Amino acid sequence: MADISLRKIVKNYGGVRAIHGVDLAVNDGEFVAFVGPSGCGKSTMLRMIAGLEEISGGTLCIGGRVVNEVEPRGRDVAMVFQDYALYPHMTIRENIGFGLKMRGWKAADIAPKVEEAARILQIGDYLDRKPGQLSGGQRQRVAMGRAIVREPSVFLFDEPLSNLDAKLRVEMRTQIKRLHAMLGTTTVYVTHDQTEAMTLADRVVVLRGGHIVQEGPPMALYSHPNCRFVGEFIGSPKMNILSGILERSGGAARLRVGDALLAIGDVEAPDGAKIDVGLRPEHLIWTAEETSKIKPVVDVFEPLGSDTMAICHFAGHEICARLAPDIPLQRGEAIFLSYDPANLHYFHGENGQRIAPQHSPAA
């Protein structure tokens, strides 16, 4: 196992800079997920760690060793790809052991390694089949098995679950989490799905335009996003954003949103400032009283069994509320929603950076 250090890492494609001097340290045994929109640089960073992309500037270390000029095979990393990359003419047994065979291992030494990996991943019954005879989830386990037998210092995953259906993605998330708990290998995982990142990783790194926007434990990013972008990107359904003007009267702070005036906590911004207020869907509370803080009109509602998502419009904004399944909803009708101002997030209306609530050390 090994730690990973990226110091001022730069990647250029011709005259275009894709990664802008990134600094990041991944601890030995840590599971770190890179997330962000398409084109943010997360896969490029992973491929530079793997040695599949040349580094334009900066220093990359694995286990304390500078590996900028080291070939992929010399970095002691194993990569699991989105498309499995299995050999269709080989059996599962041969696919899993192929890397060891290419390194000159004897068949008698390869066999127990393959058997152990198959046991861990619960694919022992499929070792004599070909990849075409397996489901997508089973093939992804084979790809993981091929990585496991090498006993690398670092596992690299490049959107490994994006080709699977929803049910299989959930099952494979559990499998990957169990695998990391069992092996404790340093892992870097790239995904566009923030749910995967939240459920799998010890630490999440949010990228945008080749920069790290924020990094930290999943719940820290969820509870204290440092900007509007992270607030909306982390969490599903995404955070509601209401844009308005800060007004203070009689010591109380209000947000003027269209014709509505909403109670908010006081923030470190001048009266009349343009601010964005974020509120998670689960923090909107249905009430039968017309004295509620928000009175939106239902556009669509989605019953999910355990709860219902109400997609509404309010003062020119679309908002989503996660409500109990037994609440009566009708399309086109107004509902009454309340919230606790302590659950609000505040961002500058211009640059989107977080604004601290006054007298709130946690922020």
Side-chain angles (χ1 to χ4, degrees):
M1 294 185 288
D3 60 345
I4 304 170
S5 173
L6 290 80
R7 304 173 194 152
K8 308 298 181 188
I9 291 294
V10 171
K11 177 61 183 177
N12 299 323
Y13 291 103
V16 177
R17 178 153 294 185
I19 303 295
H20 301 261
V22 164
D23 290 306
L24 180 68
V26 180
N27 298 322
D28 185 13
E30 190 177 21
F31 194 125
V32 171
F34 294 168
V35 297
S38 297
C40 71
K42 55 187 185 293
S43 288
T44 299
M45 282 179 54
L46 190 80
R47 291 175 64 84
M48 285 193 289
I49 295 171
L52 302 177
E53 288 279 0
E54 183 180 342
I55 298 170
S56 304
T59 303
L60 172 64
C61 296
I62 299 177
R65 179 173 63 119
V66 177
V67 295
N68 288 47
E69 305 300 328
V70 177
E71 292 292 321
R73 69 178 63 186
R75 298 191 180 197
D76 197 20
V77 303
M79 192 160 178
V80 178
F81 296 92
Q82 175 181 345
D83 59 0
Y84 320 133
L86 303 178
Y87 296 104
H89 63 287
M90 293 184 183
T91 65
I92 302 310
R93 189 186 306 276
E94 291 167 336
N95 266 282
I96 294 175
F98 183 73
L100 298 181
K101 181 180 179 181
M102 294 301 293
R103 292 185 173 196
W105 282 48
K106 296 179 180 179
D109 296 325
I110 294 174
K113 289 280 190 180
V114 171
E115 294 285 349
E116 177 62 10
R119 184 192 65 78
I120 291 172
L121 295 168
Q122 301 174 6
I123 52 174
D125 293 340
Y126 312 124
L127 287 176
D128 295 318
R129 299 186 188 182
K130 300 287 182 65
Q133 298 174 287
L134 304 186
S135 68
Q138 290 165 342
R139 277 179 278 175
Q140 192 56 278
R141 291 188 197 186
V142 175
M144 290 164 58
R146 186 174 51 195
I148 288 171
V149 295
R150 291 179 53 190
E151 298 182 351
S153 296
V154 176
F155 282 137
L156 305 175
F157 290 87
D158 190 7
E159 303 203 37
L161 309 185
S162 59
N163 288 335
L164 305 181
D165 62 36
K167 181 175 181 292
L168 277 176
R169 281 201 300 273
V170 173
E171 291 177 0
M172 287 303 299
R173 281 207 312 261
T174 302
Q175 190 75 44
I176 291 171
K177 189 149 191 165
R178 184 181 293 122
L179 182 66
H180 182 257
M182 185 183 305
L183 302 178
T185 307
T186 306
T187 300
V188 180
Y189 188 102
V190 163
T191 178
H192 64 277
D193 184 340
Q194 52 85 31
T195 300
E196 282 181 28
M198 291 280 290
T199 54
L200 286 171
D202 302 316
R203 185 155 50 107
V204 175
V205 178
V206 182
L207 292 122
R208 185 185 191 188
H211 297 271
I212 293 177
V213 182
Q214 188 175 0
E215 60 172 289
M219 288 310 299
L221 270 61
Y222 185 81
S223 301
H224 296 286
N226 66 3
C227 63
R228 183 176 57 224
F229 173 77
V230 174
E232 290 187 280
F233 194 83
I234 298 295
S236 181
K238 71 177 185 177
M239 177 185 285
N240 298 303
I241 299 291
L242 295 173
S243 301
I245 303 297
L246 177 63
E247 296 184 6
R248 290 188 177 90
S249 177
R254 300 285 188 272
L255 183 71
R256 171 75 61 183
V257 185
D259 296 328
L261 198 59
L262 306 180
I264 62 173
D266 205 0
V267 296
E268 296 178 354
D271 195 38
K274 294 180 179 179
I275 66 171
D276 294 334
V277 173
L279 183 59
R280 298 281 183 195
E282 62 269 25
H283 291 150
L284 284 165
I285 304 165
W286 181 86
T287 175
E289 300 179 9
E290 296 195 19
T291 56
S292 64
K293 294 184 174 71
I294 301 179
K295 186 180 177 181
V297 175
V298 177
D299 290 327
V300 177
F301 59 94
E302 303 172 339
L304 300 176
S306 59
D307 46 33
T308 295
M309 298 299 173
I311 314 300
C312 313
H313 63 266
F314 170 77
H317 296 76
E318 181 178 277
I319 62 173
C320 174
R322 186 191 294 269
L323 305 175
D326 57 347
I327 291 176
L329 298 172
Q330 292 291 331
R331 186 176 184 277
E333 291 188 359
I335 57 175
F336 305 110
L337 300 175
S338 187
Y339 57 86
D340 183 346
N343 291 323
L344 298 178
H345 303 263
Y346 306 101
F347 308 103
H348 284 283
E350 300 297 330
N351 61 25
Q353 292 302 301
R354 182 180 180 88
I355 307 174
Q358 290 187 359
H359 313 300
S360 177

